Amino acid sequence: QYIPFNVNEVNMDFAILGNSTNTSATTPMMDVLLIAAKKDYIGQLRGAVDEAGLTVDVVDSQAFALGNVFEFNYGLQLRQAPSGMANVIIDFGAGGTKLSVVEKDKTTFTRELRQSGISCTNAIAERLGLSFSEAEQRKISDYESKEVGQVIHDFCGTLAEEVGRTLDFYLSQSTEKTIEGVFTCGGASQLYGLGEALEKKVPAPVKLLNPIQSIAGSGRKMNAKVIEEIKYLGAVAIGLSLRTTGDSK
């Protein structure tokens, strides 16, 4: 009913989130988070790790890795948040955009959007008649020009609207839910004008997620440029590294 694939083709797991408050049933109900991943996709990932001479201990979803890195770095904020208060983490990547909603210490809602850094580059290439590499270079260095800037502006507007609709859907599931903050990460989060476009479409302040603010030794002895790159690109990897063999998060 909830998985668009043959159940024999996927690995499934679930987590009980707690008692459901969004139901009119007379008997007690629970909110359960279900996750499924195709076995052949997991096999590809394991194959790459095996070829590197490593052993797979944990397989996790990117959405949950984002939740883990947020909890690790913003745990005090989460613990002090009132019931129903949520934070949103959005990873704007090269190949896709992942959105996670975190309530207290639980990831309760996730969605993947098709817009990405690559799709923005493709839009520039198509609109201006450029090769992919030319469009990528102009996206990075010529974003303030009229012709490139207009394509990026249109793309950011469409992406922000999609994020806004997703959060509207999440909030519509319960009148008791509110959003405290929206945190962004990923290489494409640096896209010119994206933050401003998001501010107009989401119901909370937009901030840059810092996945290393609670990691000891992540400042003085490291190259400043590397630190900045990790802030944008390292959220999922750091979230996965927080997992240990046999844990349940």
Side-chain angles (χ1 to χ4, degrees), residues 9 11 37-45:
E9 298 177 355
N11 290 111
K38 297 197 73 174
K39 292 180 179 178
D40 57 354
Y41 178 65
I42 293 177
Q44 293 174 12
L45 296 179

Side-chain angles (χ1 to χ4, degrees), residues 90-98 114-121 136 139-140 152 155-156 159 184-195 198 208 229 231-234:
I90 310 174
D91 179 14
F92 297 102
T97 295
K98 283 82 175 175
R114 68 181 184 278
Q115 292 91 346
S116 65
I118 289 176
S119 58
C120 180
T121 302
E136 179 70 14
K139 181 181 74 174
I140 296 171
I152 295 176
F155 177 85
C156 289
L159 177 52
T184 64
C185 61
S189 66
Q190 302 177 75
L191 198 60
Y192 183 72
L194 179 57
L198 285 172
L208 173 65
E229 290 180 350
K231 287 182 180 179
Y232 285 105
L233 304 176

Side-chain angles (χ1 to χ4, degrees), residues 76-136:
L76 179 61
Q77 177 177 327
L78 290 173
R79 290 190 292 273
Q80 293 178 342
S83 178
M85 185 72 75
N87 287 277
V88 180
I89 308 103
I90 310 174
D91 179 14
F92 297 102
T97 295
K98 283 82 175 175
L99 183 150
S100 298
V101 177
V102 177
E103 299 178 37
K104 294 292 187 180
D105 62 344
K106 295 182 174 67
T107 299
T108 60
F109 178 87
T110 69
R111 188 182 177 195
E112 184 165 349
L113 310 179
R114 68 181 184 278
Q115 292 91 346
S116 65
I118 289 176
S119 58
C120 180
T121 302
N122 286 333
I124 295 171
E126 182 177 347
R127 185 87 64 89
L128 304 183
L130 303 173
S131 67
F132 181 86
S133 59
E134 291 172 334
E136 179 70 14

Side-chain angles (χ1 to χ4, degrees), residues 12 31 45 95-96 153 238:
M12 292 186 292
D31 288 326
L45 296 179
H153 178 271
I238 293 171

Side-chain angles (χ1 to χ4, degrees), residues 170-239:
Y170 163 77
L171 292 171
S172 71
Q173 304 305 297
S174 173
T175 57
E176 299 178 358
K177 295 182 184 297
T178 56
I179 294 175
E180 181 180 20
V182 176
F183 293 79
T184 64
C185 61
S189 66
Q190 302 177 75
L191 198 60
Y192 183 72
L194 179 57
E196 183 180 349
L198 285 172
E199 288 277 9
K200 296 177 181 178
K201 296 296 181 179
V202 300
V206 177
K207 308 172 185 178
L208 173 65
L209 174 70
N210 185 354
I212 61 173
Q213 70 175 14
S214 295
I215 297 179
S218 58
R220 295 181 180 177
K221 295 184 178 181
M222 293 185 67
N223 182 286
K225 183 178 180 180
V226 172
I227 288 289
E228 285 302 310
E229 290 180 350
I230 291 175
K231 287 182 180 179
Y232 285 105
L233 304 176
V236 171
I238 293 171

